[in-house]
Structures are given as structure tokens and as C-alpha cells.
Amino acid sequence: MITPAFDLSQDPEYLILNIRVPYTRTSEFDLYIDGTDFKFYAKPYFLRLTLPGRIVEDGREKAKFDIDKGLFTLWVPKETAGEHFEGLQMLTSLLAPKGSRSAKPLVEDVSTVKCIDKIGKITWNDEEEFDWQVEQEVYMESSEEELRSLQKYGFGNQRSGVFARLQEELSDVIDIKNPEGTTAAERRQARLEAESSAFSPDHYLADLFEDDEIQRLLKFRPWWKQLSTSTEEEGEAAVSFTDDEKEQLRKFTNCSYLLDKASRRQAWLSLIDILLAYCYEVRSTEGEHNVESPWTIRKLSGTLCWLETYSSLIEVLVSFGRRVLCYPLYRHFTLVSAAVRDTIKILQSGESCVLKCLLNIHKVFRENDPAYILNDLYITDYCIWIQKVK
């Protein structure tokens, strides 16, 4: 079955679904509507959604099919007229959970899945074809001491052992050496020493006193500056996703992350760190990403470059400020302040705005070798997780 391209909107009375199903027959549509459950079938397309509000099938529903565009539009009545359905742009979270295979040792919410494999990732054995050409090696069981010695990193500090397998690829992405055998405290100390040695007084003073270019960048208005946040409904409607972004949302696996309090706090702080680096990059390029964009984002983020785990917001801000004054082309403290204000605006604008930023970062890393690995370590999980949190 093929998951079709789709998007949702609403008015006070109806939930409106636009489903793109080219090369299908109008006589072969099949619909199932029951509360928060919605299913659509038109061979070879199948779509199953778990909605944020209840809909009903009471005779008021209506549909239209544009044969030329292959677009099926359906108006389904809301059970409670006037109710506002939250998160209709969070396409990944709307898709009913499905199985996937991954090496991520994450603890998953088992309430909506059929089975969990030994590393905690959702699996349906009949959904994927076995790769008979997979490379084999003799299995050697790790000792208890070796397992305890592995350092944690990645989204929510849930990953370990990645660098041992992919060291050659990752050596150009992060600055920390031997991440598997380096504690969080050792990583932080190495980062601070690297920043101190990288700081150039001459470069800093040149940007401080010859700041015409910096003043021009400060006048730039990124897309999030124009969003309205007067109400939650307007904030959600203000952010629109491109077709490419919607397609990427549909590709993500819908899963839940069960993080303890410490991991959840660390995930929020690292998210702010990543957004700060992204805001600086957007402003420094005036919204036009270039070949240096992947390097800039990951270099300014202690999370991405040093696998840093922050414990307070002050630590995040100080780390970001230091890195802006050490590494990029423009090293001026007013750009630090501007990035902080931009990040505040993004967070105030809600999860849709944060998600759009993360999808933009995901695209920048996806198109760069080997920065794409940071998507697997951090950004993909953030794109899924942010759709489900307050």
C-alpha cells in the first residue's frame, strides 16, 4: 500500500481532508469514519489517521474528486461544532503508528503498538523485506563492564556505540575525539579549551569596529518575525509547510519517546541550543542557505559539535555566545543577542514554527555529506517528538 500525499484544514463545522490519489478510479474509494479514527482506501493508496478531535458520519459529509489533479477532497462533520482541532499540520503524529526497524535504543510507548523488539523499537516483521545481502560478522557478546562504560549522547541521551561503528564518517562532523570513552564532563572541558584556543582577538576587534556588514544583517527580517501569536489558532495557521516539508513529515516514523525528567530537560535545552545556531545561520546568510550552512549550524551548537549535555539555560546561552565569537565569519555579540531574540520568537510561535525550523535543518543536513548523520542522532527524533509535546 502507498501512503498518499495529504493535508488537513478545518472550519467551525467540518474537518477538510485533501488527499492526492492520481491514477485511481472514482468508483473504488472506501472510507471509514469513527470518532478519532479515519481510514481511506483507493487502490493502491491507503491512509489511516488518528485525529486530534472526533468526527462523525451523519449524512452531512461531502466529497469532491478532481480527476485532472488526482485530488480527493472530503468534508467530514465535527462531532462538536465549533471545536478547534489542534495540530492538523503535524502530519507525522496524525499517521497511525506503524512498524520500523532502527538501531536506536529508545524506550517506546507500547500502548499503541503490537510488539517491541529487543532494543525497544517498534517492529512488524511482515512489513519489511529481509535484506539477504547484509554484511555479516561473528557475534561477540559485550561484557557488563563494557556496556556500562559506553557514553550516552544523541536525542535525550538515548544513543551509544554509534561512533564505534561510523567513526570514519563522523570524524568530520563532530570535534570530540573518542566520544565513546569520554564522559560528559570531559567533553565539556575539551570544548571550553578548544574555544579558548580558537578565539582570535584580531578577528573580534575587526568585526567590532568595522561593522557595516553586521549592521546590515541585523536589519534582516527572517520569516518567523512576521508570524502572529495573538491566539493559538492564529499561531498555528500562520505557519505553512511546503510540499517537500509535508512529504518529509509523512516519511518519518510515528513513535513515542518515554524520557525521564532529566532526559526531558536535557532534550529541551539541546533544542534551544540547536535553534540558536539555526537562527544565527539564517540571519548571517539572509535566509539563503549556502554550502557553509551545515558547517555553521553544527559548529555553533555545542550539542551537535561536542555532544554537549546542558543542565541550565545559562549554560546554553554562554556556550552559544562563546562559539559565535570564536568560529563563524561574523563574530559580533549583537548577532548573539539577535539570535536569542529570534529563538524566543520561534518558541513563542508554537510547535508548528519550531517544527518548520527543524525540518529546514533536516534538509540542510540531509543534503550534506556527512552532516546527514546528525539527523539520525538528533534532528529526526526532534521532528517527531516536537509534534507531541506542549
Side-chain angles (χ1 to χ4, degrees):
M1 294 295 178
I2 300 173
T3 301
F6 71 96
D7 57 62
L8 296 87
S9 58
Q10 61 183 318
D11 60 29
E13 300 289 331
Y14 290 92
L15 175 68
I16 306 166
L17 301 99
N18 294 299
I19 307 172
R20 191 168 299 280
V21 285
Y23 315 117
T24 56
R25 299 179 183 177
T26 56
S27 60
E28 294 183 350
F29 292 153
D30 193 10
L31 296 172
Y32 175 82
I33 299 169
D34 183 17
T36 59
D37 237 6
F38 173 82
K39 298 175 186 175
F40 169 86
Y41 173 68
K43 188 177 181 179
Y45 300 98
F46 177 73
L47 179 64
R48 179 185 172 193
L49 303 176
T50 301
L51 301 169
R54 297 181 63 85
I55 55 177
V56 294
E57 189 175 8
D58 60 3
R60 291 182 294 151
E61 58 276 358
K62 52 187 177 180
K64 179 179 71 173
F65 182 58
D66 188 324
I67 297 177
D68 295 332
K69 296 181 180 179
L71 183 64
F72 181 82
T73 305
L74 177 67
W75 289 263
V76 186
K78 296 179 179 179
E79 186 175 88
T80 304
E83 179 185 1
H84 178 71
F85 287 6
E86 297 287 348
L88 292 183
Q89 299 193 53
M90 306 302 177
L91 302 186
T92 309
S93 63
L94 295 175
L95 289 170
K98 62 182 180 179
S100 69
R101 295 182 183 273
S102 172
K104 300 177 184 178
L106 294 176
V107 178
E108 300 294 344
D109 183 352
V110 301
S111 60
T112 57
V113 301
K114 289 190 174 181
C115 59
I116 304 292
D117 67 9
K118 63 181 179 181
I119 56 174
K121 199 66 178 180
I122 306 168
T123 300
W124 284 357
N125 292 329
D126 59 350
E127 192 171 68
E128 295 186 6
E129 204 171 299
F130 181 73
D131 181 10
W132 291 98
Q133 305 302 320
V134 65
E135 184 178 349
Q136 299 181 96
E137 59 182 41
V138 177
Y139 171 73
M140 296 185 66
E141 186 173 356
S142 300
S143 67
E144 189 174 343
E145 289 76 15
E146 289 174 330
L147 292 175
R148 279 201 299 264
S149 67
L150 288 177
Q151 298 300 318
K152 300 289 186 180
Y153 42 79
F155 172 78
N157 268 349
Q158 301 293 307
R159 307 293 298 277
S160 64
V162 173
F163 293 86
R165 301 192 303 269
L166 302 173
Q167 186 64 52
E168 290 185 5
E169 290 183 78
L170 290 170
S171 60
D172 294 331
V173 178
I174 62 171
D175 286 354
I176 184 68
K177 307 301 180 185
N178 186 27
E180 305 294 354
T182 309
T183 66
E186 291 170 339
R187 293 199 293 263
R188 174 167 300 181
Q189 183 60 36
R191 174 179 66 80
L192 294 173
E193 292 174 358
E195 290 166 358
S196 296
S197 63
F199 178 72
S200 169
D202 291 340
H203 193 140
Y204 172 76
L205 290 173
D207 283 357
L208 180 64
F209 293 108
E210 299 175 8
D211 62 348
D212 292 345
E213 185 72 9
I214 291 186
Q215 294 303 320
R216 184 176 63 82
L217 296 177
L218 291 171
K219 296 176 182 178
F220 173 71
R221 286 180 58 81
W223 58 267
W224 54 79
K225 283 286 189 180
Q226 304 171 24
L227 298 179
S228 169
T229 56
S230 57
T231 68
E232 286 187 5
E233 294 184 21
E234 288 182 10
E236 178 182 338
V239 180
S240 60
F241 294 95
T242 66
D243 290 341
D244 288 343
E245 290 168 341
K246 292 177 182 177
E247 178 62 25
Q248 185 58 55
L249 284 173
R250 290 189 286 267
K251 289 180 179 178
F252 290 139
T253 298
N254 183 11
C255 55
S256 299
Y257 303 96
L258 301 183
L259 305 177
D260 59 27
K261 185 176 181 180
S263 296
R264 190 162 57 249
R265 178 179 175 81
Q266 188 272 323
W268 280 114
L269 293 174
S270 290
L271 173 63
I272 294 172
D273 178 55
I274 293 169
L275 289 176
L276 285 167
Y278 168 72
C279 289
Y280 174 94
E281 192 281 328
V282 170
R283 183 171 292 278
S284 66
T285 60
E286 297 181 285
E288 299 291 336
H289 299 305
N290 55 42
V291 293
E292 295 296 329
S293 295
W295 181 90
T296 302
I297 294 173
R298 69 178 190 256
K299 197 70 174 181
L300 296 186
S301 167
T303 298
L304 300 178
C305 199
W306 284 90
L307 310 179
E308 180 67 85
T309 53
Y310 299 101
S311 58
S312 71
L313 186 57
I314 289 295
E315 289 182 356
V316 175
L317 297 174
V318 170
S319 171
F320 173 70
R322 286 169 60 95
R323 300 188 72 78
V324 168
L325 300 184
C326 288
Y327 296 109
L329 176 61
Y330 305 111
R331 306 178 188 179
H332 200 286
F333 195 76
T334 55
L335 291 176
V336 177
S337 301
V340 171
R341 290 192 296 270
D342 287 338
T343 301
I344 291 171
K345 173 64 176 178
I346 289 169
L347 293 170
Q348 288 176 335
S349 298
E351 63 269 22
S352 295
C353 188
V354 175
L355 177 59
K356 189 173 181 68
C357 294
L358 289 169
L359 288 171
N360 203 339
I361 298 171
H362 193 280
K363 184 175 187 294
V364 169
F365 286 165
R366 191 169 68 242
E367 296 174 349
N368 180 264
D369 187 7
Y372 67 89
I373 298 170
L374 293 173
N375 284 339
D376 190 39
L377 285 174
Y378 290 99
I379 309 303
T380 295
D381 289 320
Y382 270 117
C383 287
I384 300 170
W385 178 71
I386 200 65
Q387 299 181 57
K388 301 171 180 287
V389 297
K390 297 295 184 182

mmCIF file of all heavy atoms in Angstrom, residues 176-215:
data_model
loop_
_atom_site.group_PDB
_atom_site.id
_atom_site.type_symbol
_atom_site.label_atom_id
_atom_site.label_comp_id
_atom_site.label_asym_id
_atom_site.label_seq_id
_atom_site.Cartn_x
_atom_site.Cartn_y
_atom_site.Cartn_z
ATOM 1 N N ILE A 176 34.741 16.316 19.012
ATOM 2 C CA ILE A 176 35.208 15.489 20.116
ATOM 3 C C ILE A 176 35.863 14.220 19.593
ATOM 4 O O ILE A 176 35.364 13.574 18.675
ATOM 5 C CB ILE A 176 34.046 15.142 21.075
ATOM 6 C CG1 ILE A 176 34.520 14.366 22.290
ATOM 7 C CG2 ILE A 176 32.947 14.386 20.350
ATOM 8 C CD1 ILE A 176 35.370 15.167 23.216
ATOM 9 N N LYS A 177 36.998 13.881 20.151
ATOM 10 C CA LYS A 177 37.675 12.642 19.802
ATOM 11 C C LYS A 177 37.296 11.560 20.811
ATOM 12 O O LYS A 177 37.122 11.839 21.995
ATOM 13 C CB LYS A 177 39.197 12.834 19.797
ATOM 14 C CG LYS A 177 39.661 14.002 18.926
ATOM 15 C CD LYS A 177 39.228 13.825 17.469
ATOM 16 C CE LYS A 177 39.695 15.000 16.611
ATOM 17 N NZ LYS A 177 39.171 14.908 15.222
ATOM 18 N N ASN A 178 37.176 10.332 20.341
ATOM 19 C CA ASN A 178 36.826 9.194 21.188
ATOM 20 C C ASN A 178 35.575 9.466 22.018
ATOM 21 O O ASN A 178 35.597 9.427 23.252
ATOM 22 C CB ASN A 178 37.993 8.834 22.110
ATOM 23 C CG ASN A 178 37.727 7.558 22.903
ATOM 24 O OD1 ASN A 178 36.969 6.687 22.460
ATOM 25 N ND2 ASN A 178 38.336 7.446 24.074
ATOM 26 N N PRO A 179 34.456 9.776 21.383
ATOM 27 C CA PRO A 179 33.236 10.096 22.135
ATOM 28 C C PRO A 179 32.719 8.941 22.986
ATOM 29 O O PRO A 179 32.080 9.171 24.008
ATOM 30 C CB PRO A 179 32.228 10.456 21.037
ATOM 31 C CG PRO A 179 32.766 9.811 19.803
ATOM 32 C CD PRO A 179 34.248 9.835 19.929
ATOM 33 N N GLU A 180 33.007 7.700 22.570
ATOM 34 C CA GLU A 180 32.513 6.549 23.329
ATOM 35 C C GLU A 180 33.187 6.440 24.694
ATOM 36 O O GLU A 180 32.606 5.907 25.632
ATOM 37 C CB GLU A 180 32.743 5.254 22.543
ATOM 38 C CG GLU A 180 32.147 5.234 21.147
ATOM 39 C CD GLU A 180 30.630 5.284 21.152
ATOM 40 O OE1 GLU A 180 30.026 5.219 22.232
ATOM 41 O OE2 GLU A 180 30.048 5.405 20.056
ATOM 42 N N GLY A 181 34.428 6.934 24.781
ATOM 43 C CA GLY A 181 35.153 6.795 26.033
ATOM 44 C C GLY A 181 35.355 8.095 26.770
ATOM 45 O O GLY A 181 36.193 8.186 27.667
ATOM 46 N N THR A 182 34.580 9.122 26.403
ATOM 47 C CA THR A 182 34.728 10.436 27.026
ATOM 48 C C THR A 182 33.456 10.802 27.771
ATOM 49 O O THR A 182 32.371 10.788 27.195
ATOM 50 C CB THR A 182 35.020 11.509 25.956
ATOM 51 O OG1 THR A 182 36.104 11.073 25.134
ATOM 52 C CG2 THR A 182 35.394 12.823 26.610
ATOM 53 N N THR A 183 33.570 11.114 29.045
ATOM 54 C CA THR A 183 32.401 11.469 29.844
ATOM 55 C C THR A 183 31.896 12.851 29.466
ATOM 56 O O THR A 183 32.581 13.632 28.791
ATOM 57 C CB THR A 183 32.738 11.454 31.336
ATOM 58 O OG1 THR A 183 33.685 12.489 31.617
ATOM 59 C CG2 THR A 183 33.313 10.106 31.760
ATOM 60 N N ALA A 184 30.689 13.176 29.923
ATOM 61 C CA ALA A 184 30.106 14.487 29.635
ATOM 62 C C ALA A 184 30.983 15.608 30.198
ATOM 63 O O ALA A 184 31.159 16.650 29.560
ATOM 64 C CB ALA A 184 28.698 14.570 30.219
ATOM 65 N N ALA A 185 31.548 15.400 31.384
ATOM 66 C CA ALA A 185 32.412 16.423 31.982
ATOM 67 C C ALA A 185 33.688 16.599 31.171
ATOM 68 O O ALA A 185 34.168 17.730 30.974
ATOM 69 C CB ALA A 185 32.745 16.031 33.420
ATOM 70 N N GLU A 186 34.248 15.502 30.684
ATOM 71 C CA GLU A 186 35.457 15.583 29.863
ATOM 72 C C GLU A 186 35.173 16.245 28.526
ATOM 73 O O GLU A 186 35.994 17.008 28.007
ATOM 74 C CB GLU A 186 36.032 14.182 29.654
ATOM 75 C CG GLU A 186 36.610 13.571 30.926
ATOM 76 C CD GLU A 186 36.949 12.099 30.761
ATOM 77 O OE1 GLU A 186 36.386 11.451 29.840
ATOM 78 O OE2 GLU A 186 37.758 11.586 31.556
ATOM 79 N N ARG A 187 34.005 15.977 27.952
ATOM 80 C CA ARG A 187 33.633 16.631 26.691
ATOM 81 C C ARG A 187 33.517 18.134 26.886
ATOM 82 O O ARG A 187 33.966 18.926 26.053
ATOM 83 C CB ARG A 187 32.311 16.053 26.161
ATOM 84 C CG ARG A 187 32.383 14.609 25.712
ATOM 85 C CD ARG A 187 31.228 14.252 24.799
ATOM 86 N NE ARG A 187 29.937 14.270 25.461
ATOM 87 C CZ ARG A 187 29.320 13.197 25.952
ATOM 88 N NH1 ARG A 187 29.918 12.009 25.894
ATOM 89 N NH2 ARG A 187 28.139 13.293 26.504
ATOM 90 N N ARG A 188 32.899 18.529 28.000
ATOM 91 C CA ARG A 188 32.736 19.968 28.249
ATOM 92 C C ARG A 188 34.086 20.647 28.443
ATOM 93 O O ARG A 188 34.316 21.737 27.903
ATOM 94 C CB ARG A 188 31.860 20.196 29.481
ATOM 95 C CG ARG A 188 31.760 21.655 29.898
ATOM 96 C CD ARG A 188 30.669 21.882 30.879
ATOM 97 N NE ARG A 188 29.377 21.500 30.332
ATOM 98 C CZ ARG A 188 28.228 21.624 30.997
ATOM 99 N NH1 ARG A 188 28.221 22.139 32.209
ATOM 100 N NH2 ARG A 188 27.091 21.255 30.449
ATOM 101 N N GLN A 189 34.975 20.040 29.207
ATOM 102 C CA GLN A 189 36.286 20.633 29.438
ATOM 103 C C GLN A 189 37.059 20.769 28.133
ATOM 104 O O GLN A 189 37.690 21.802 27.871
ATOM 105 C CB GLN A 189 37.078 19.773 30.432
ATOM 106 C CG GLN A 189 38.436 20.347 30.802
ATOM 107 C CD GLN A 189 38.343 21.720 31.444
ATOM 108 O OE1 GLN A 189 37.407 21.994 32.204
ATOM 109 N NE2 GLN A 189 39.305 22.584 31.151
ATOM 110 N N ALA A 190 36.981 19.743 27.273
ATOM 111 C CA ALA A 190 37.669 19.808 25.977
ATOM 112 C C ALA A 190 37.068 20.894 25.094
ATOM 113 O O ALA A 190 37.785 21.590 24.368
ATOM 114 C CB ALA A 190 37.587 18.447 25.286
ATOM 115 N N ARG A 191 35.743 21.062 25.158
ATOM 116 C CA ARG A 191 35.094 22.113 24.360
ATOM 117 C C ARG A 191 35.555 23.495 24.798
ATOM 118 O O ARG A 191 35.882 24.355 23.962
ATOM 119 C CB ARG A 191 33.565 22.005 24.500
ATOM 120 C CG ARG A 191 32.817 23.149 23.827
ATOM 121 C CD ARG A 191 31.319 23.005 23.960
ATOM 122 N NE ARG A 191 30.844 23.118 25.321
ATOM 123 C CZ ARG A 191 30.663 24.266 25.975
ATOM 124 N NH1 ARG A 191 30.934 25.424 25.366
ATOM 125 N NH2 ARG A 191 30.195 24.278 27.212
ATOM 126 N N LEU A 192 35.584 23.724 26.095
ATOM 127 C CA LEU A 192 35.994 25.031 26.604
ATOM 128 C C LEU A 192 37.445 25.345 26.229
ATOM 129 O O LEU A 192 37.765 26.485 25.857
ATOM 130 C CB LEU A 192 35.823 25.071 28.124
ATOM 131 C CG LEU A 192 34.375 24.996 28.639
ATOM 132 C CD1 LEU A 192 34.348 24.878 30.157
ATOM 133 C CD2 LEU A 192 33.562 26.196 28.182
ATOM 134 N N GLU A 193 38.299 24.352 26.303
ATOM 135 C CA GLU A 193 39.697 24.563 25.928
ATOM 136 C C GLU A 193 39.835 24.857 24.437
ATOM 137 O O GLU A 193 40.628 25.726 24.043
ATOM 138 C CB GLU A 193 40.517 23.330 26.306
ATOM 139 C CG GLU A 193 40.660 23.121 27.816
ATOM 140 C CD GLU A 193 41.362 21.817 28.155
ATOM 141 O OE1 GLU A 193 41.701 21.062 27.207
ATOM 142 O OE2 GLU A 193 41.561 21.546 29.358
ATOM 143 N N ALA A 194 39.050 24.147 23.613
ATOM 144 C CA ALA A 194 39.099 24.377 22.168
ATOM 145 C C ALA A 194 38.615 25.782 21.827
ATOM 146 O O ALA A 194 39.179 26.463 20.951
ATOM 147 C CB ALA A 194 38.262 23.335 21.443
ATOM 148 N N GLU A 195 37.561 26.254 22.507
ATOM 149 C CA GLU A 195 37.050 27.600 22.257
ATOM 150 C C GLU A 195 38.072 28.660 22.663
ATOM 151 O O GLU A 195 38.270 29.657 21.946
ATOM 152 C CB GLU A 195 35.744 27.797 23.022
ATOM 153 C CG GLU A 195 34.583 26.975 22.468
ATOM 154 C CD GLU A 195 33.385 26.902 23.388
ATOM 155 O OE1 GLU A 195 33.458 27.464 24.502
ATOM 156 O OE2 GLU A 195 32.399 26.262 23.017
ATOM 157 N N SER A 196 38.724 28.444 23.797
ATOM 158 C CA SER A 196 39.719 29.420 24.262
ATOM 159 C C SER A 196 40.881 29.543 23.278
ATOM 160 O O SER A 196 41.365 30.649 23.006
ATOM 161 C CB SER A 196 40.240 29.012 25.647
ATOM 162 O OG SER A 196 39.198 29.045 26.601
ATOM 163 N N SER A 197 41.301 28.418 22.728
ATOM 164 C CA SER A 197 42.415 28.456 21.776
ATOM 165 C C SER A 197 41.987 28.981 20.414
ATOM 166 O O SER A 197 42.803 29.521 19.659
ATOM 167 C CB SER A 197 43.034 27.066 21.636
ATOM 168 O OG SER A 197 42.092 26.146 21.111
ATOM 169 N N ALA A 198 40.696 28.852 20.075
ATOM 170 C CA ALA A 198 40.212 29.290 18.760
ATOM 171 C C ALA A 198 39.893 30.783 18.716
ATOM 172 O O ALA A 198 39.825 31.371 17.634
ATOM 173 C CB ALA A 198 38.967 28.498 18.365
ATOM 174 N N PHE A 199 39.678 31.397 19.870
ATOM 175 C CA PHE A 199 39.297 32.809 19.887
ATOM 176 C C PHE A 199 40.420 33.682 19.325
ATOM 177 O O PHE A 199 41.583 33.584 19.736
ATOM 178 C CB PHE A 199 38.963 33.246 21.307
ATOM 179 C CG PHE A 199 38.607 34.706 21.409
ATOM 180 C CD1 PHE A 199 37.394 35.170 20.917
ATOM 181 C CD2 PHE A 199 39.481 35.620 21.989
ATOM 182 C CE1 PHE A 199 37.059 36.519 21.011
ATOM 183 C CE2 PHE A 199 39.160 36.963 22.082
ATOM 184 C CZ PHE A 199 37.942 37.408 21.586
ATOM 185 N N SER A 200 40.052 34.559 18.378
ATOM 186 C CA SER A 200 41.014 35.456 17.752
ATOM 187 C C SER A 200 40.671 36.904 18.117
ATOM 188 O O SER A 200 39.674 37.451 17.620
ATOM 189 C CB SER A 200 40.992 35.295 16.229
ATOM 190 O OG SER A 200 41.726 36.320 15.602
ATOM 191 N N PRO A 201 41.472 37.541 18.964
ATOM 192 C CA PRO A 201 41.193 38.953 19.314
ATOM 193 C C PRO A 201 41.176 39.862 18.090
ATOM 194 O O PRO A 201 40.351 40.787 18.008
ATOM 195 C CB PRO A 201 42.339 39.307 20.268
ATOM 196 C CG PRO A 201 42.800 37.991 20.825
ATOM 197 C CD PRO A 201 42.619 37.008 19.709
ATOM 198 N N ASP A 202 42.052 39.628 17.127
ATOM 199 C CA ASP A 202 42.109 40.481 15.938
ATOM 200 C C ASP A 202 40.811 40.395 15.136
ATOM 201 O O ASP A 202 40.275 41.416 14.685
ATOM 202 C CB ASP A 202 43.293 40.066 15.061
ATOM 203 C CG ASP A 202 44.631 40.388 15.712
ATOM 204 O OD1 ASP A 202 44.649 41.249 16.620
ATOM 205 O OD2 ASP A 202 45.644 39.780 15.326
ATOM 206 N N HIS A 203 40.327 39.180 14.935
ATOM 207 C CA HIS A 203 39.077 38.998 14.189
ATOM 208 C C HIS A 203 37.916 39.646 14.948
ATOM 209 O O HIS A 203 37.069 40.331 14.352
ATOM 210 C CB HIS A 203 38.815 37.503 13.985
ATOM 211 C CG HIS A 203 37.743 37.214 12.992
ATOM 212 N ND1 HIS A 203 37.814 36.192 12.069
ATOM 213 C CD2 HIS A 203 36.544 37.803 12.742
ATOM 214 C CE1 HIS A 203 36.726 36.176 11.325
ATOM 215 N NE2 HIS A 203 35.938 37.146 11.725
ATOM 216 N N TYR A 204 37.885 39.444 16.249
ATOM 217 C CA TYR A 204 36.804 40.016 17.053
ATOM 218 C C TYR A 204 36.818 41.541 16.979
ATOM 219 O O TYR A 204 35.781 42.189 16.779
ATOM 220 C CB TYR A 204 36.933 39.554 18.506
ATOM 221 C CG TYR A 204 35.984 40.243 19.440
ATOM 222 C CD1 TYR A 204 34.636 39.892 19.476
ATOM 223 C CD2 TYR A 204 36.412 41.287 20.267
ATOM 224 C CE1 TYR A 204 33.746 40.536 20.323
ATOM 225 C CE2 TYR A 204 35.532 41.940 21.108
ATOM 226 C CZ TYR A 204 34.203 41.558 21.135
ATOM 227 O OH TYR A 204 33.328 42.201 21.956
ATOM 228 N N LEU A 205 37.987 42.164 17.118
ATOM 229 C CA LEU A 205 38.079 43.624 17.100
ATOM 230 C C LEU A 205 37.757 44.192 15.715
ATOM 231 O O LEU A 205 37.150 45.260 15.600
ATOM 232 C CB LEU A 205 39.479 44.057 17.538
ATOM 233 C CG LEU A 205 39.801 43.822 19.019
ATOM 234 C CD1 LEU A 205 41.268 44.120 19.298
ATOM 235 C CD2 LEU A 205 38.900 44.672 19.905
ATOM 236 N N ALA A 206 38.146 43.452 14.668
ATOM 237 C CA ALA A 206 37.833 43.909 13.309
ATOM 238 C C ALA A 206 36.327 43.964 13.098
ATOM 239 O O ALA A 206 35.788 44.940 12.545
ATOM 240 C CB ALA A 206 38.489 42.972 12.288
ATOM 241 N N ASP A 207 35.620 42.930 13.553
ATOM 242 C CA ASP A 207 34.161 42.921 13.414
ATOM 243 C C ASP A 207 33.504 43.950 14.329
ATOM 244 O O ASP A 207 32.431 44.484 14.011
ATOM 245 C CB ASP A 207 33.612 41.524 13.737
ATOM 246 C CG ASP A 207 33.820 40.548 12.591
ATOM 247 O OD1 ASP A 207 34.329 40.980 11.539
ATOM 248 O OD2 ASP A 207 33.482 39.358 12.738
ATOM 249 N N LEU A 208 34.126 44.222 15.468
ATOM 250 C CA LEU A 208 33.547 45.162 16.421
ATOM 251 C C LEU A 208 33.566 46.587 15.883
ATOM 252 O O LEU A 208 32.593 47.337 16.020
ATOM 253 C CB LEU A 208 34.307 45.082 17.752
ATOM 254 C CG LEU A 208 33.822 46.005 18.868
ATOM 255 C CD1 LEU A 208 32.403 45.644 19.283
ATOM 256 C CD2 LEU A 208 34.763 45.941 20.066
ATOM 257 N N PHE A 209 34.671 46.976 15.240
ATOM 258 C CA PHE A 209 34.818 48.361 14.801
ATOM 259 C C PHE A 209 34.478 48.576 13.323
ATOM 260 O O PHE A 209 34.165 49.690 12.922
ATOM 261 C CB PHE A 209 36.243 48.849 15.086
ATOM 262 C CG PHE A 209 36.537 48.958 16.550
ATOM 263 C CD1 PHE A 209 37.382 48.057 17.177
ATOM 264 C CD2 PHE A 209 35.942 49.949 17.321
ATOM 265 C CE1 PHE A 209 37.646 48.151 18.540
ATOM 266 C CE2 PHE A 209 36.192 50.053 18.680
ATOM 267 C CZ PHE A 209 37.048 49.151 19.292
ATOM 268 N N GLU A 210 34.553 47.534 12.522
ATOM 269 C CA GLU A 210 34.158 47.623 11.114
ATOM 270 C C GLU A 210 32.903 46.781 10.927
ATOM 271 O O GLU A 210 32.938 45.670 10.402
ATOM 272 C CB GLU A 210 35.302 47.139 10.221
ATOM 273 C CG GLU A 210 36.578 47.956 10.367
ATOM 274 C CD GLU A 210 37.727 47.389 9.560
ATOM 275 O OE1 GLU A 210 37.489 46.452 8.758
ATOM 276 O OE2 GLU A 210 38.863 47.860 9.735
ATOM 277 N N ASP A 211 31.790 47.337 11.362
ATOM 278 C CA ASP A 211 30.571 46.532 11.497
ATOM 279 C C ASP A 211 29.469 46.903 10.507
ATOM 280 O O ASP A 211 28.284 46.649 10.764
ATOM 281 C CB ASP A 211 30.024 46.648 12.922
ATOM 282 C CG ASP A 211 29.622 48.073 13.282
ATOM 283 O OD1 ASP A 211 29.974 48.989 12.514
ATOM 284 O OD2 ASP A 211 28.951 48.260 14.312
ATOM 285 N N ASP A 212 29.819 47.501 9.382
ATOM 286 C CA ASP A 212 28.790 47.874 8.405
ATOM 287 C C ASP A 212 28.010 46.642 7.934
ATOM 288 O O ASP A 212 26.772 46.676 7.830
ATOM 289 C CB ASP A 212 29.442 48.562 7.197
ATOM 290 C CG ASP A 212 30.014 49.929 7.557
ATOM 291 O OD1 ASP A 212 29.655 50.450 8.638
ATOM 292 O OD2 ASP A 212 30.817 50.460 6.775
ATOM 293 N N GLU A 213 28.718 45.570 7.628
ATOM 294 C CA GLU A 213 28.063 44.347 7.170
ATOM 295 C C GLU A 213 27.191 43.758 8.275
ATOM 296 O O GLU A 213 26.078 43.270 8.016
ATOM 297 C CB GLU A 213 29.127 43.325 6.746
ATOM 298 C CG GLU A 213 28.575 42.041 6.141
ATOM 299 C CD GLU A 213 28.009 42.244 4.745
ATOM 300 O OE1 GLU A 213 28.200 43.340 4.184
ATOM 301 O OE2 GLU A 213 27.375 41.307 4.236
ATOM 302 N N ILE A 214 27.656 43.829 9.500
ATOM 303 C CA ILE A 214 26.895 43.278 10.624
ATOM 304 C C ILE A 214 25.617 44.087 10.840
ATOM 305 O O ILE A 214 24.561 43.517 11.091
ATOM 306 C CB ILE A 214 27.775 43.273 11.887
ATOM 307 C CG1 ILE A 214 28.832 42.291 11.707
ATOM 308 C CG2 ILE A 214 26.957 42.986 13.141
ATOM 309 C CD1 ILE A 214 29.786 41.723 12.282
ATOM 310 N N GLN A 215 25.701 45.397 10.719
ATOM 311 C CA GLN A 215 24.512 46.226 10.883
ATOM 312 C C GLN A 215 23.474 45.911 9.806
ATOM 313 O O GLN A 215 22.267 45.953 10.061
ATOM 314 C CB GLN A 215 24.893 47.714 10.837
ATOM 315 C CG GLN A 215 25.763 48.166 12.005
ATOM 316 C CD GLN A 215 25.112 47.896 13.347
ATOM 317 O OE1 GLN A 215 23.899 48.070 13.516
ATOM 318 N NE2 GLN A 215 25.918 47.472 14.323
#
